[in-house]
């Protein structure tokens, strides 16, 4: 997943990095095809160049050697709301048919069965980044028809589009999973199956999704990570297996 | 620290101990627990382990926040026990924003405005969960903008690398929202690793984040941010953050932790003495920046 996500990033882009797998994907991209990727962390590090894989998005290694360190009011107002972020990476406990993400509660808000951490910067990243990429492992409970709580807005609900609601960014364009890649349909906004990992069938992906998954007429093959990618991930970027658990 | 908390933190106050991962003043939180403050409204972007401990110790009536997890590890279990399902203790009220929303609240508070506008929250359920997130029509363009109310804490506690005796405070590394939180607050307690002469502050004024004129008290407390960190002084104790998962998940273990490391010590110096290997494990390497020419 990290290698597939890394390929989505183009050299020179400005990316708002979240913790976990996105962090690994961004650092892999920087070490391979996108050396000029600009990593911005909500903690205030701009153009970070971490010498160790950060455990949190506030790790001191993000500061050392970065291009700029600013306060969080600047991160959200001068970078994000200003429109400077090209790619936002989001994960979540639940992702639904239209790419809405829930990181707030499972169950009702007033009496949640499971209380999740909440938005952090995710809501505003989903609103403002020119495009967002979602990274999540397939599982029908994690991919319900509709999320219990919309923390980060996807491609619209009840037929109301993002533009109509005044959202500057295009929202989630892809969902990168551990079995295939979903893409937002340009007209309906629905997440549809677009590519499969080697040895995986469309039915395997459907089994991990809680709604009848539409398919592109021709499904692409996801190119597996190269040996060089794997060596970088396992030996250099995440030798302690902070994120490469699964 | 004892005097500063006793004088400036009162039962029922809105208390902000800010610092985004970096410079979180655990020493102040522990002193507030020891002095058994009650009915506090605790506000922070990321409650982190320190508010989880203060919630467990019974200091909090309400939590105002935007991301309540253990960064890179998992959950804050005392917080979760207080708000989840049928096990909810019911004793903790919550008021929830996103990071941008919390930052905007401090910005409004610091500018002494009643609210702050931001382009956000359309398509989300956050305004439904928190009716204090509202909208206003822009008087120039008519665009509907989200608003959040000012946050003006009774007391804000900021940890920093150094300050002079008058409270002119310098920090480097991640500076989070500390400047806004301090300016928004009625009272400000600054806690530092090093107390330095005024001449050191004056030699590098661009690094001053909080001016002495808004500071109520300066406390010198080396290692006062542990298990958070202080850039150039000590690293984040990631091992402790991982260990907190097991401690906070079990209410008995959490109680024993508070007994031993909070109630069981009189101050931060004693806390460090109990953990003699900590300093060697976390002490920062030297990487000094080149100074700049302030001459004219």
């Amino acid at each position: 997943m990290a290698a597939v996500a890394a390929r989505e990033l183009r050299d020179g882009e400005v990316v708002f990095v979240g913790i976990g797998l996105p962090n690994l994907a961004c650092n892999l991209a920087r070490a391979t095809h996108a050396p000029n990727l600009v990593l911005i962390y909500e903690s205030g590090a701009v153009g970070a160049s971490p010498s160790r894989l950060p455990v949190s998005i506030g790790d001191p290694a993000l500061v050392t050697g970065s291009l700029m360190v600013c306060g969080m009011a600047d991160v959200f107002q001068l970078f994000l709301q200003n429109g400077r972020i090209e790619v936002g990476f989001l994960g979540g406990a639940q992702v639904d048919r239209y790419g809405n993400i829930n990181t707030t509660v499972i169950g009702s808000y007033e009496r949640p069965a499971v209380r999740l951490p909440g938005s952090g910067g995710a809501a505003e990243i989903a609103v403002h980044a020119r495009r967002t990429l979602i990274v999540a492992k397939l599982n029908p409970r994690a991919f319900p028809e509709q999320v219990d709580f919309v923390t980060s807005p996807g491609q619209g609900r009840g037929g109301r589009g993002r533009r109509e609601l005044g959202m500057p960014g295009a929202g989630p364009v892809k969902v990168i999973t551990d079995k295939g890649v979903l893409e937002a349909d340009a007209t309906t906004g629905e997440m549809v199956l677009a590519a499969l990992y080697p040895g995986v069938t469309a039915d395997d992906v459907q089994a991990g999704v809680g709604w009848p998954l539409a398919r592109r007429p021709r499904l692409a093959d996801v190119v597996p990570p190269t040996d060089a990618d794997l060596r970088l991930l396992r030996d250099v970027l995440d030798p302690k297996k902070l994120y490469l658990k699964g | 620290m004892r005097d500063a908390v006793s004088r400036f933190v009162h039962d029922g106050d809105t208390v902000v101990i800010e610092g985004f991962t970096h410079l979180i003043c655990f020493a102040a939180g522990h002193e507030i627990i020891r002095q058994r403050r009650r009915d506090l409204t605790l506000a922070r972007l990321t409650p982190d382990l320190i508010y989880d401990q203060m919630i467990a110790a019974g200091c909090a009536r309400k939590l105002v926040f935007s991301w309540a997890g253990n960064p890179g590890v998992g959950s804050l279990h005392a917080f979760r026990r207080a708000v989840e399902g049928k096990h909810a203790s019911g004793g903790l009220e919550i008021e929830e924003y996103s990071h941008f929303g919390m930052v905007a609240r401090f910005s409004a508070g610091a500018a002494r405005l009643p609210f702050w506008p931001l382009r956000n929250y359309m398509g989300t359920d956050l305004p439904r969960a928190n009716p204090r997130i509202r909208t206003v029509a822009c008087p120039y363009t008519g665009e509907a903008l989200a608003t959040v109310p000012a946050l003006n804490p009774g007391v804000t506690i900021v940890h920093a690398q150094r300050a002079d005796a008058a409270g002119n405070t310098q920090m480097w590394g991640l500076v989070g929202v500390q400047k806004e939180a301090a300016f928004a607050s009625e009272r400000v307690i600054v806690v530092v690793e090093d107390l330095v002469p005024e001449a050191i502050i004056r030699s590098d004024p661009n690094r001053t984040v909080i001016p002495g004129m808004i500071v109520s008290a300066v406390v010198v407390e080396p290692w006062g941010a542990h298990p958070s960190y202080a850039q150039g002084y000590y690293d984040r104790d990631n091992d402790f953050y991982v260990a907190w998962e097991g401690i906070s998940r079990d209410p008995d273990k959490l109680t024993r932790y508070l007994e031993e490391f909070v109630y069981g010590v009189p101050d931060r110096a004693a806390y460090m003495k109990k953990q003699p290997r900590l300093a060697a494990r976390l002490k920062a390497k030297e990487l000094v920046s080149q100074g700049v020419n302030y001459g004219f």
Side-chain angles (χ1 to χ4, degrees):
Chain A
M1 276 163 79
V4 176
R7 280 189 224 124
E8 294 294 325
L9 301 165
R10 297 169 209 135
D11 198 21
E13 282 192 311
V14 180
V15 54
F16 207 101
V17 192
I19 203 59
L21 215 63
N23 193 25
L24 194 55
C26 292
N27 282 290
L28 176 65
R30 243 173 63 83
T32 53
H33 68 279
N36 302 306
L37 197 65
V38 180
L39 310 184
I40 299 189
Y41 289 77
E42 66 188 14
S43 55
V46 177
S49 175
S51 63
R52 71 178 183 199
L53 193 63
V55 174
S56 75
I57 41 176
D59 196 276
L62 297 173
V63 167
T64 311
S66 71
L67 293 176
M68 177 182 182
V69 175
C70 63
M72 291 181 75
D74 289 353
V75 170
F76 288 110
Q77 297 190 126
L78 309 188
F79 287 93
L80 188 61
Q81 191 168 255
N82 185 295
R84 300 284 164 177
I85 306 298
E86 290 168 294
V87 190
F89 254 120
L90 296 171
Q94 288 185 327
V95 179
D96 74 15
R97 190 166 184 164
Y98 293 93
N100 295 297
I101 302 175
N102 174 18
T103 53
T104 302
V105 288
I106 303 294
S108 79
Y109 185 77
E110 290 71 24
R111 285 207 158 271
V114 180
R115 176 63 226 202
L116 303 164
S119 165
E124 41 267 10
I125 293 168
V127 166
H128 285 280
R130 282 189 222 160
R131 69 179 196 277
T132 54
L133 301 168
I134 301 175
V135 185
K137 273 191 164 180
L138 282 176
N139 167 342
R141 283 193 316 184
F143 282 80
E145 165 97 36
Q146 197 172 25
V147 292
D148 295 355
F149 187 99
V150 179
T151 314
S152 310
Q155 296 297 351
R157 258 193 328 181
R160 296 190 73 193
R162 295 176 58 94
R163 288 245 172 271
E164 193 190 332
L165 289 169
M167 287 188 241
V173 292
K174 286 192 185 183
V175 184
I176 295 153
T177 77
D178 50 335
K179 291 194 170 74
V181 177
L182 317 185
E183 284 179 12
D185 184 86
T187 46
T188 64
E190 188 174 332
M191 294 296 153
V192 302
L193 181 61
L196 291 169
Y197 284 27
V200 172
T201 68
D203 288 345
D204 295 337
V205 177
Q206 175 66 71
V209 172
W211 69 87
L213 185 66
R215 299 168 189 181
R216 288 256 193 261
R218 290 186 59 178
L219 296 178
D221 296 318
V222 174
V223 179
T226 64
D227 289 344
D229 285 347
L230 291 175
R231 262 200 311 277
L232 265 172
L233 284 168
R234 288 172 184 157
D235 302 342
V236 180
L237 293 172
D238 192 11
K240 290 183 182 168
K241 298 210 180 300
L242 288 173
Y243 304 128
L244 292 173
K245 284 165 193 158
Chain B
M1 182 67 84
R2 205 170 300 145
D3 297 344
V5 167
S6 152
R7 263 188 80 188
F8 297 112
V9 183
H10 318 124
D11 286 352
D13 273 352
T14 295
V15 177
V16 170
I17 302 177
E18 254 309 332
F20 193 82
T21 320
H22 184 212
L23 298 171
I24 303 171
C25 195
F26 277 75
H30 286 185
E31 185 57 31
I32 291 169
I33 293 174
R34 272 193 294 272
Q35 295 195 18
R36 298 178 195 275
R37 288 289 175 278
R38 289 294 177 266
D39 296 320
L40 303 178
T41 294
L42 298 177
R44 254 183 76 74
L45 273 66
T46 60
D48 205 273
L49 274 48
I50 189 56
Y51 282 4
D52 209 33
Q53 293 172 6
M54 293 169 80
I55 290 166
C59 301
R61 181 184 65 77
K62 180 173 177 180
L63 180 69
V64 183
F65 71 103
S66 45
W67 192 85
N70 180 348
V73 179
S75 295
L76 302 175
H77 291 282
F79 158 74
R80 281 184 58 179
R81 276 192 292 278
V83 300
E84 269 181 8
K86 50 187 180 293
H87 303 296
S89 54
L92 186 71
E93 191 187 331
I94 60 171
E95 184 177 321
E96 178 169 8
Y97 297 83
S98 64
H99 282 348
F100 191 8
M102 282 295 285
V103 167
R105 294 197 66 193
F106 282 124
S107 295
R112 303 289 158 173
L113 287 169
F115 69 89
W116 198 267
L118 59 163
R119 190 174 288 114
N120 209 356
Y121 302 126
M122 55 288 262
T124 79
D125 285 333
L126 281 160
R128 185 173 62 77
N130 179 358
R132 301 195 78 199
I133 300 174
R134 296 184 190 166
T135 56
V136 68
C138 168
Y140 303 99
T141 65
E143 180 185 359
L145 294 167
T147 60
V148 290
L151 178 53
N152 289 106
V155 59
T156 290
I157 301 169
V158 169
H159 198 89
Q161 282 97 338
R162 66 190 187 195
D164 66 15
N168 295 297
T169 303
Q170 297 191 329
M171 62 174 77
W172 52 95
L174 301 176
V175 294
V177 71
Q178 282 96 310
K179 181 168 73 177
E180 291 82 359
F183 273 95
S185 197
E186 279 172 49
R187 302 175 296 281
V188 177
I189 301 174
V190 164
V191 183
V192 290
E193 295 292 321
D194 277 325
L195 186 68
V196 296
E198 186 183 307
I200 297 281
I201 302 294
R202 288 187 183 276
S203 72
D204 194 4
N206 277 113
R207 216 178 297 284
T208 305
V209 172
I210 296 167
M213 69 178 79
I214 66 166
V215 173
S216 314
V218 180
V219 178
V220 185
E221 196 78 281
W223 293 87
H226 175 270
S228 170
Y229 71 99
Q231 191 95 30
Y233 285 76
Y234 45 93
D235 196 359
R236 188 168 185 265
D237 192 347
N238 291 320
D239 293 349
F240 183 77
Y241 274 81
V242 171
W244 187 252
E245 171 68 21
I247 298 168
S248 71
R249 195 182 270 280
D250 177 346
D252 294 334
K253 273 192 194 161
L254 207 168
T255 302
R256 281 201 298 279
Y257 174 83
L258 293 178
E259 288 297 339
E260 186 174 358
F261 290 96
V262 182
Y263 297 113
V265 295
D267 54 27
R268 183 82 348 185
Y271 168 96
M272 288 305 292
K273 218 169 167 183
K274 272 182 82 76
Q275 306 170 83
R277 282 188 295 276
L278 211 66
R281 178 161 65 84
L282 298 172
K283 193 173 172 9
K285 291 183 286 291
E286 195 139 305
L287 190 63
V288 179
S289 78
Q290 203 184 345
V292 296
N293 186 355
Y294 275 101
F296 59 89

